[in-house]
Amino acid sequence: MLVAAAVCPCPPLLVPEVAAGAASELDDARTACRDALGVLAAARPDLLIVVGPAEAEAEGPYPAGATGSFEGFGVGLSVRLGSPPGDTAPVGRRLPASLTVGAWLLDRARWSDAVVEGLAVGERLPADSCALAGKELAARADRVALLVMGDGSACRTVKAPGYLDERAVDFDTTVTRALGDADLAALNSLDASLAYALKVAGRASWQVLAGAAEGAGLAGQLLYADAPYGVGYTVAAWS
């Protein structure tokens, strides 16, 4: 059963070494992420699953101990998703960027309270498939927590990665309100086609969260919402 969730953005710029001279611009977001992870730790889960978007070839589950790297962003920094059973050498695929950022957040918070695994979901995954995936995650253990990675629209300004789209503000406002209020119906009803057009990286992850939270009775708390670089970032905690 889902007992807690933290929602965080997943830009590699969250990592100060990647952001370099611009690192201070996301200090408030990093602080909010740290506070959200504190809510997860307080829930004392048996299993923590990091959920984030990925390209089709990187979709699927990732075991405890899977590794990721920021080498593609010019930084020789590697992270590991928790510890593998018996602390054996990690095997399998490298973590996609969103789960790598999640693993970095957990490492920064010195997470050691539960087994950690990952699930990468495709950005075009239909809402009903997201809900089913979430329900399956929530059934994995008596006390499950999720660290849900995902960005809002990338079309908030003319300098944003997706340029300016007048629909972006309303979409992000809806998402921020839904994540802050733990509004499952609002998350389930997000328009996947519109989200794709607005270059929203978090839609599928948020709908996985909604599926996992069904029947759990969790309340939400909004910790951060802003659009630096023209991209919508939201941090929330559910407990």
Side-chain angles (χ1 to χ4, degrees):
M1 178 178 181
L2 187 70
V3 295
V7 178
C8 296
C10 57
L13 288 174
L14 270 181
V15 180
E17 292 89 339
V18 175
S24 62
E25 296 176 9
L26 289 180
D27 279 347
D28 289 345
R30 293 186 195 96
T31 298
C33 290
R34 180 197 64 199
D35 293 344
L37 289 176
V39 172
L40 295 188
R44 303 182 66 83
D46 303 315
L47 173 64
L48 171 64
I49 304 170
V50 184
V51 180
E55 299 293 336
E57 64 273 13
E59 291 180 37
Y62 287 80
T67 60
S69 171
F70 294 98
E71 291 178 359
F73 302 97
V75 175
L77 174 65
S78 296
V79 292
R80 190 166 73 172
L81 195 63
S83 299
D87 204 30
T88 56
V91 296
R93 301 176 297 168
R94 300 294 292 270
L95 297 170
S98 65
L99 301 190
T100 300
V101 175
W104 177 82
L105 287 173
L106 291 171
D107 184 67
R108 181 171 180 257
R110 298 182 180 179
W111 180 273
S112 60
D113 295 344
V115 173
V116 183
E117 297 179 5
L119 176 66
V121 293
E123 294 182 28
R124 301 299 296 270
L125 192 68
D128 56 350
S129 297
C130 292
L132 177 60
K135 292 174 182 177
E136 291 174 348
L137 294 183
R140 290 277 312 280
D142 289 340
R143 300 184 64 81
V144 175
L146 298 183
L147 171 55
V148 182
M149 311 299 295
D151 301 339
S153 71
C155 302
R156 294 283 290 270
T157 68
V158 295
K159 293 184 178 181
Y163 195 66
L164 176 65
D165 190 310
E166 300 293 347
R167 301 170 294 177
V169 171
D170 286 345
F171 187 94
D172 285 344
T173 298
T174 297
V175 168
T176 296
R177 184 181 301 115
L179 293 174
D181 293 342
D183 187 336
L184 308 188
L187 292 174
N188 283 325
S189 65
L190 292 175
D191 186 325
S193 296
L194 177 59
Y196 188 75
L198 295 175
K199 300 186 182 300
V200 175
R203 189 274 310 170
S205 299
W206 302 326
Q207 290 184 327
V208 170
L209 168 60
E214 186 175 334
L218 302 183
Q221 179 184 9
L222 181 64
L223 301 177
Y224 174 88
D226 203 353
Y229 317 118
V231 181
Y233 297 151
T234 299
V235 181
W238 293 16
S239 62

